[in-house]
Amino acid sequence: MLHNYSVNQLLSYAMLEQIWQHFLGPLVDSLRYATLTSYSWEAPRLLLLIPLLPLLFFGRWALSYRRRPRLAVAFVAGQVRRDWSALLRFVPNVVLFLSLMFGIVALARPQRTDERVVQTGEGVDILLVLDVSGSMELQDLRPNRLEAAKRVAREFTDGRVGDRLGLVVFAGDAYSVVPLTTDYDLLRESIGGLKLGMIPNDGTAIGSALGVATNRLRDSRSRSKICILISDGENTAGNLDPLTAAQLAHAYGLKLYTIGLGKDGIVPYGTEENGRPRFVETRLDETTMRQLAQAGEGQFFRATDNDALRQVFRQIDKYEKSEIKQTRFRNTKDYYRLYLFWCVGLWLVWLALKNTFLTNALED
């Protein structure tokens, strides 16, 4: 008998737990303030009716006050004592108020929407090839050529969605800093960490830089492989001819954009020991840069100031858009049934209370 009693007790607990989880629990949870504020509402303006409910009860009292029958009973002064139980006559009105309030909440249609976005399509593989040679310290772009290029490269990274981006830097030698990745935070951090003199062998090895870029992109299966070369000088280092490197890159399906930085002629370059500004003469080999872009079926751009450089990147961003499609799935779930149950349940309680001692027989 003890064993059977324990099994029956466990079954009762399991049944009570199921009733709580599927019925009573959601009802109690629906009354929490955090639950109410988490909803979106189909008809939120209906909630404005709740503050008007007290006026409804006041009007009901005012209309019945004049027609209320009175029973004349004489009491001796000071003999009538007030009792707290007299407040119980307000219980039916409170129950009716709550029933109407929950009815309005149900009519306002509380909902929760679960939205899921699925991206489909194919991105673009883009490799930034940035010159970090000593000439990038010239100050015709503010604060200097390298810092201006870094700032705009980070802005360009912020505007890409679904693409793989990488980074190659070069001076007298060329190195791959960031492989193709969608970790844009890593790429922005790496761009921000670039500095002058990070490659000990100074010079401008454009051909070597294109060779490293080609090696990075040649195995890519992307529909579009882009290389953006940013430099301010002519090829003065490396063992690979730039034009040959550009033709090799094109053979592997790379599209080459070249950006020439800075002005030709006399430009500011730091200060002398006495604090006076120092100037040097510089020249961009624009012919070679144009030939490289032509060999890579891309385009050459000249950026002589910060705004022009920013416009160049915006133009490239417009040319090379990835085909990414977004599909949105919205699942909306209604919760008005919980409050409709409260409304009907409290209405039935109010009807039951009207047949008890809590109702004033003289009024009803």
Side-chain angles (χ1 to χ4, degrees):
M1 293 295 293
L2 180 61
H3 176 72
N4 292 334
Y5 176 76
S6 300
V7 171
N8 292 334
Q9 191 176 33
L10 290 175
L11 290 175
S12 300
Y13 286 155
M15 185 178 298
L16 289 174
E17 185 177 0
Q18 288 185 356
I19 293 175
W20 174 262
Q21 289 181 352
H22 296 91
F23 185 69
L24 296 179
L27 277 177
V28 174
D29 184 69
S30 67
L31 301 179
R32 295 172 58 233
Y33 175 78
T35 302
L36 291 169
T37 56
S38 68
Y39 293 136
S40 59
W41 304 85
E42 181 72 19
R45 293 183 179 179
L46 289 178
L47 297 175
L48 298 176
L49 295 176
I50 294 178
L52 301 180
L53 287 178
L55 297 179
L56 178 65
F57 284 87
F58 178 78
R60 174 172 172 262
W61 173 82
L63 290 174
S64 63
Y65 179 77
R66 300 177 64 181
R67 296 178 299 170
R68 182 183 303 170
R70 293 174 174 80
L71 180 64
V73 178
F75 293 98
V76 178
Q79 298 271 331
V80 180
R81 293 181 298 175
R82 296 184 180 275
D83 191 85
W84 65 269
S85 60
L87 297 176
L88 294 177
R89 64 191 180 92
F90 294 107
V91 171
N93 286 336
V94 172
V95 173
L96 179 60
F97 174 84
L98 292 175
S99 174
L100 295 176
M101 183 185 69
F102 285 122
I104 292 173
V105 172
L107 288 174
R109 294 285 296 276
Q111 300 173 339
R112 288 197 184 104
T113 300
D114 179 22
E115 186 174 33
R116 184 164 53 94
V117 179
V118 178
Q119 290 187 343
T120 58
E122 188 175 4
V124 178
D125 283 351
I126 302 176
L127 204 58
L128 299 174
V129 183
L130 183 58
D131 189 349
V132 293
S133 62
S135 60
M136 292 291 284
E137 191 177 359
L138 298 182
Q139 297 168 345
D140 48 349
L141 278 73
R142 297 294 180 181
N144 58 47
R145 293 178 177 180
L146 178 60
E147 292 300 322
K150 287 165 55 178
R151 184 184 303 116
V152 178
R154 286 196 297 268
E155 294 174 0
F156 177 78
T157 301
D158 293 336
R160 308 305 298 189
V161 177
D163 300 326
R164 293 197 305 168
L165 276 70
L167 177 65
V168 171
V169 297
F170 69 97
D173 299 306
Y175 299 98
S176 175
V177 178
V178 180
L180 292 171
T181 181
T182 55
D183 188 349
Y184 299 149
D185 290 335
L186 172 64
L187 184 62
R188 281 189 289 267
E189 183 179 347
S190 299
I191 292 174
L194 299 181
K195 58 184 179 180
L196 296 164
M198 63 181 298
I199 298 179
N201 184 19
D202 200 15
T204 308
I206 296 177
S208 299
L210 290 178
V212 173
T214 302
N215 190 49
R216 277 294 184 190
L217 286 170
R218 66 179 182 177
D219 294 328
S220 168
R221 296 183 179 180
S222 174
R223 66 173 181 84
S224 185
K225 296 179 281 188
I226 310 300
C227 178
I228 303 175
L229 174 68
I230 309 168
S231 181
D232 67 345
E234 56 184 343
N235 187 71
T236 59
N239 299 320
L240 184 58
D241 177 66
L243 188 56
T244 303
Q247 293 169 347
L248 180 64
H250 177 61
Y252 280 104
L254 275 67
K255 189 174 184 179
L256 180 59
Y257 290 99
T258 59
I259 302 175
L261 287 183
K263 303 175 182 178
D264 289 336
I266 306 299
V267 297
Y269 177 53
T271 58
E272 297 179 351
E273 294 180 357
N274 56 9
R276 297 176 59 183
R278 180 173 53 186
F279 294 89
V280 297
E281 186 174 0
T282 182
R283 185 181 71 87
L284 172 70
D285 187 0
E286 186 172 316
T287 302
T288 300
M289 297 286 278
R290 288 184 181 276
Q291 290 175 345
L292 297 179
Q294 185 176 4
E297 293 189 356
Q299 191 171 346
F300 167 74
F301 299 94
R302 186 70 185 265
T304 56
D305 55 42
N306 295 53
D307 291 336
L309 179 60
R310 187 170 285 106
Q311 290 298 325
V312 167
F313 269 92
R314 288 176 182 171
Q315 194 71 19
I316 296 175
D317 186 57
K318 188 184 300 183
Y319 288 157
E320 304 298 338
K321 286 294 184 183
S322 55
E323 296 180 358
I324 303 295
K325 297 180 181 178
Q326 288 188 346
T327 305
R328 296 180 180 271
F329 298 91
R330 294 174 62 92
N331 180 29
T332 300
K333 184 176 180 181
D334 280 304
Y335 290 87
Y336 71 90
R337 292 180 181 85
L338 293 172
Y339 301 96
L340 187 60
F341 180 85
W342 278 111
C343 173
V344 174
L346 290 172
W347 182 272
L348 295 176
V349 171
W350 175 72
L351 291 177
L353 291 176
K354 287 176 64 66
N355 297 316
T356 65
F357 71 95
L358 297 177
T359 303
N360 190 339
L362 296 177
E363 294 182 5
D364 297 334

